[in-house]
Amino acid sequence: VILNDPFLGKRVEEGNFSTVPLKDEFLENARLFIFETYCRIHQRIDMGVLFEKLNLNYEEGERWIVNLIRNSKLDAKIDSETGTVIMEPNQPNVYEQLIDHTKALQGRTYKLVGQLLEPAQAQPAR
């Protein structure tokens, strides 16, 4: 598809070679998008099925997933015996939860004070 696209598939002629500069980057981002979408749905993923969808052979695909895990783009484990990728649950740490709850508490307190002061400000001064 990218080779036929008039904008993304623009060919660059260098001597006897004709290349599409964005092809590799586009394919990598497309693989990553498909993989992220697939991981949101499944907790345990068969690598053979996944690599077929990503258009990778088994060795390339395994190397690709290991690189994702190393670069901290993926929180998962590879089970070599069963040939699956096991996704780790994505839970925020305790400190992030505390900060979020504190922010929410501050906002609710501000609204509550505003509601309490509203009737007092509406009464005319005596």
Side-chain angles (χ1 to χ4, degrees):
V1 172
I2 191 171
L3 297 176
N4 295 325
D5 189 281
F7 301 107
L8 295 175
K10 186 175 181 180
R11 296 182 189 281
V12 175
E13 303 293 332
E14 295 177 10
N16 295 335
F17 298 106
S18 175
T19 61
V20 179
L22 297 176
K23 179 183 172 188
D24 293 334
E25 186 177 344
F26 181 83
L27 290 175
E28 180 65 24
N29 285 319
R31 281 187 181 124
L32 192 57
F33 179 72
I34 291 168
F35 183 69
E36 287 175 353
T37 304
Y38 203 76
C39 288
R40 285 187 190 128
I41 298 169
H42 306 286
Q43 187 176 6
R44 183 178 291 263
I45 303 164
D46 185 323
M47 290 196 294
V49 173
L50 179 64
F51 299 152
E52 182 182 321
K53 294 189 184 304
L54 297 176
N55 196 24
L56 293 170
N57 66 34
Y58 198 86
E59 289 179 13
E60 288 176 339
E62 194 170 26
R63 208 173 313 119
W64 187 74
I65 288 182
V66 168
N67 286 336
L68 284 178
I69 293 171
R70 280 187 189 152
N71 296 334
S72 299
K73 292 183 180 178
L74 178 64
D75 193 16
K77 294 179 184 175
I78 296 176
D79 186 358
S80 299
E81 292 177 7
T82 59
T84 58
V85 177
I86 302 168
M87 301 303 298
E88 296 290 321
N90 190 7
Q91 299 174 347
N93 74 30
V94 177
Y95 299 110
E96 290 176 9
Q97 289 178 354
L98 181 64
I99 290 170
D100 290 341
H101 287 296
T102 305
K103 286 180 183 177
L105 181 63
Q106 179 185 6
R108 289 193 313 238
T109 304
Y110 182 77
K111 286 182 183 178
L112 181 62
V113 169
Q115 289 174 351
L116 288 173
L117 292 178
E118 193 173 287
Q121 292 174 351
Q123 292 179 354
R126 295 183 185 186

